[in-house]
Structure formats: structure tokens, C-alpha cells
Amino acid sequence: MLILSRRPNESLRIGGDVVITVVGFSGNQIRLGITAPPNIVVDREEVHQRKIAEHVTDISPAPSPAAPPSSTRTLRRRPEVRRRSRLQAE
């Protein structure tokens, strides 16, 4: 397992098509933005496990001929929340 440190608004790239960006964090939760081509399935682990348990045979759909391979989709992205720094708050 590769372990990386990233700060908000920093990204990492998987292959040439998938970009994962740290959008923010709150407590022990981290918000990630994922940009991937339409032929890449992006699921949370528990959703993936449920699909396997339900015997879903088509977890990875074949690329559709209508979408060129270079097109990407961006999953839901929330606006950036600006927080006051400690210096501004004092």
C-alpha cells in the first residue's frame, strides 16, 4: 500500500485518467473529489462489497462507443469553504 500526504486542494493522479483531489476535511472525515473517465467505475468500498454480495455481474461496464476515451467526468464537487485563519480571528 502506498501512503501519501496531501493538503486541501492538492491532487494525486492514477494512470493518466484518474485524478483524486483533497477537497477538505472535518474532524476524522476527508472529502475527496474524483475525476475519472465514464468507463471507470468509482464506488465506495461498502457499495462495491454490496454489489458483489448481490451477485452483480457487470461491475465494470464496457466503454460506450459514443464517449471518446479522452473524455472525463467530474463527480459531485462542492464549493470551496474558506475558513478564517487564526490570525484573522484574533
Side-chain angles (χ1 to χ4, degrees):
M1 174 187 297
L2 173 65
I3 298 173
L4 300 171
S5 297
R6 300 277 73 200
R7 292 192 170 108
N9 297 320
E10 292 183 339
S11 301
L12 61 102
R13 187 173 292 268
I14 300 174
D17 296 341
V18 179
V19 178
I20 299 174
T21 303
V22 177
V23 177
F25 56 91
S26 176
N28 63 351
Q29 285 190 332
I30 299 171
R31 300 185 73 77
L32 300 173
I34 302 169
T35 303
N39 64 322
I40 302 290
V41 175
V42 179
D43 282 333
R44 296 186 319 255
E45 180 64 23
E46 63 272 18
V47 172
H48 178 73
Q49 293 299 327
R50 187 175 66 231
K51 285 181 178 181
I52 291 172
E54 293 172 355
H55 302 293
V56 175
T57 58
D58 191 41
I59 294 175
S60 298
S64 65
S70 63
S71 69
T72 59
R73 65 178 172 169
T74 300
L75 300 179
R76 190 174 102 197
R77 188 173 191 182
R78 292 196 171 203
E80 182 180 327
V81 177
R82 294 183 180 247
R83 300 186 190 275
R84 294 188 306 174
S85 72
R86 290 182 190 180
L87 296 176
Q88 291 174 337
E90 293 177 351

